[in-house]
């Protein structure tokens, strides 16, 4: 199957970085103090216990106002109050980091926060004469720790990328102050607990990536009413039925794979006319595919494999004229494959193995790539 851009979709980063006019170059890294937590690989039980202890102490009061008690050296000079607040936020975060094997935060010292590794500054949107912290990117740092409430002081932050680290705990309540947040990528960490509802309060958010964490419980239906362009919440422990307002979402990409969703695929899916890629694989959906999906003329990738879908494939799928990848494998679908599906002008790969299909039109055998194994098809594997 052709690789798609559903997993590493960071075109939004390019958009945000256009805002970062005067991005500072990284300064050379200096030595880092020894930390309590070890470097690469999994944390020991003792390390996990220590993180939990600090996290519980930190959230002793409901809104985390206890904080990390950062003291600002009076000899430090800042260009403006926003950079002073950024210093407090980043020093609090450094205190909450328990392991930094690549020393990415080793140069987080002094008042010149725009020179810190992974910190990007730009003119403030409301005052071009003021420099402020507009982005943070600590991807692939293998950093262990948690997010302190003081990060809410970064009120001009538009991009926050910390994927592929070992951050634990929850998303701070004070993130509600990040009203300019455009891209939030917390993927591939160890965040846990309920869906972080503070995210619903970020008015400009367009890109949300929570995949590969340990979030659990339900997903608020309000998520699908937000004006988002991309939602990645796959590989967590979410368990719920997709709500009827699912089709209200204006996203172009949504990935819900490898959770514990169940129930029906809602007919409102057919209202998502901007949708280009949807991955619902490996959940617990147990219903028919709604015929309304035939109206998704911009859809290029549709994957509902490894579920418990029943019934026939709707003839209306033949109206999904942009479809390139169609995967309905490992379900309980039956009947005949509609020839209109295999005649789709852009279809490159059609996988419908491990079902109970009884009829397959000859045109399907002429596709560039298809997989029809383990069905009830005469003269086929």
């Amino acid at each position: 199957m052709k690789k798609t851009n559903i997993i590493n979709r960071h075109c939004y980063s390019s958009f945000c970085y256009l805002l970062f006019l005067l991005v500072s170059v990284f300064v050379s890294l200096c030595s880092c103090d020894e930390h309590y937590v070890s470097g690469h690989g999994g944390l020991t039980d003792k390390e996990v216990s220590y993180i939990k202890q600090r996290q519980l102490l930190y959230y002793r009061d409901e809104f985390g106002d206890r904080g990390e008690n950062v003291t600002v050296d009076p000899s430090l000079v800042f260009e403006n109050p926003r950079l002073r607040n950024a210093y407090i936020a980043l020093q609090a975060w450094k205190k909450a980091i328990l392991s930094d094997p690549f020393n990415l935060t080793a140069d987080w010292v002094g008042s010149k926060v725009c020179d810190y590794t992974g910190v990007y500054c730009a003119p403030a949107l409301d005052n071009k004469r003021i420099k402020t912290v507009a982005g943070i990117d600590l991807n692939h740092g293998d950093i262990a720790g948690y997010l302190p409430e003081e990060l809410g002081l970064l009120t001009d932050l538009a991009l926050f990328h910390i994927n592929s680290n070992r951050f634990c705990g929850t998303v701070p309540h004070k993130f509600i102050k990040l009203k300019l947040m455009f891209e939030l990528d917390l993927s591939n960490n160890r965040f846990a607990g309920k869906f972080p509802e503070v995210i619903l309060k970020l008015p400009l958010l367009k890109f949300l990536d929570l995949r590969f964490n340990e979030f659990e419980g339900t997903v608020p239906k309000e998520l699908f009413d937000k004006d988002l362009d991309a939602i990645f919440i796959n590989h967590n422990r979410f368990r719920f039925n997709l709500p009827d307002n699912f089709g209200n979402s204006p996203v172009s990409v949504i990935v819900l794979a490898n959770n514990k969703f169940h129930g029906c695929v809602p007919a409102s899916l057919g209202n998502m006319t901007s949708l280009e890629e949807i991955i619902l694989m490996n959940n617990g959906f147990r219903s028919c595919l709604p015929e309304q999906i035939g109206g998704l003329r911009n859809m290029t990738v549709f994957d509902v494999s490894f579920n418990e879908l029943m019934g026939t494939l709707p003839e209306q799928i033949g109206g999904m004229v942009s479809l390139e990848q169609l995967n309905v494998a490992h379900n309980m679908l039956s009947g005949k494959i509609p020839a209109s599906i295999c005649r789709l002008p852009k279809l490159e790969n059609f996988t419908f193995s491990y079902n109970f299909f009884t009829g397959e039109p000859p045109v399907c055998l002429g596709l560039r790539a298809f997989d029809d194994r383990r069905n009830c098809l005469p003269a086929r594997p």
Side-chain angles (χ1 to χ4, degrees), residues 171-182:
V171 179
H173 297 286
K174 294 295 177 64
F175 263 44
I176 196 172
K177 295 185 176 182
L178 308 183
K179 300 298 184 183
L180 299 181
M181 183 67 72
F182 184 86

Side-chain angles (χ1 to χ4, degrees), residues 81-113:
R82 299 191 196 190
L83 291 182
R84 186 180 188 276
N85 282 340
Y87 172 82
I88 296 172
L90 295 172
Q91 293 306 312
W93 195 8
K94 190 172 182 178
K95 285 188 173 185
I97 289 175
L98 308 175
S99 175
D100 182 4
F102 299 123
N103 291 340
L104 296 181
T105 62
D107 63 356
W108 286 20
V109 178
S111 60
K112 295 184 178 181
V113 297

Side-chain angles (χ1 to χ4, degrees), residues 234-254:
N234 50 295
H235 291 82
N236 278 282
R237 299 176 182 176
F238 293 124
R239 182 185 296 270
F240 74 118
N241 288 358
L242 289 183
D244 291 337
N245 72 323
F246 180 71
N248 293 351
S249 180
V251 292
S252 62
V253 180
I254 186 166

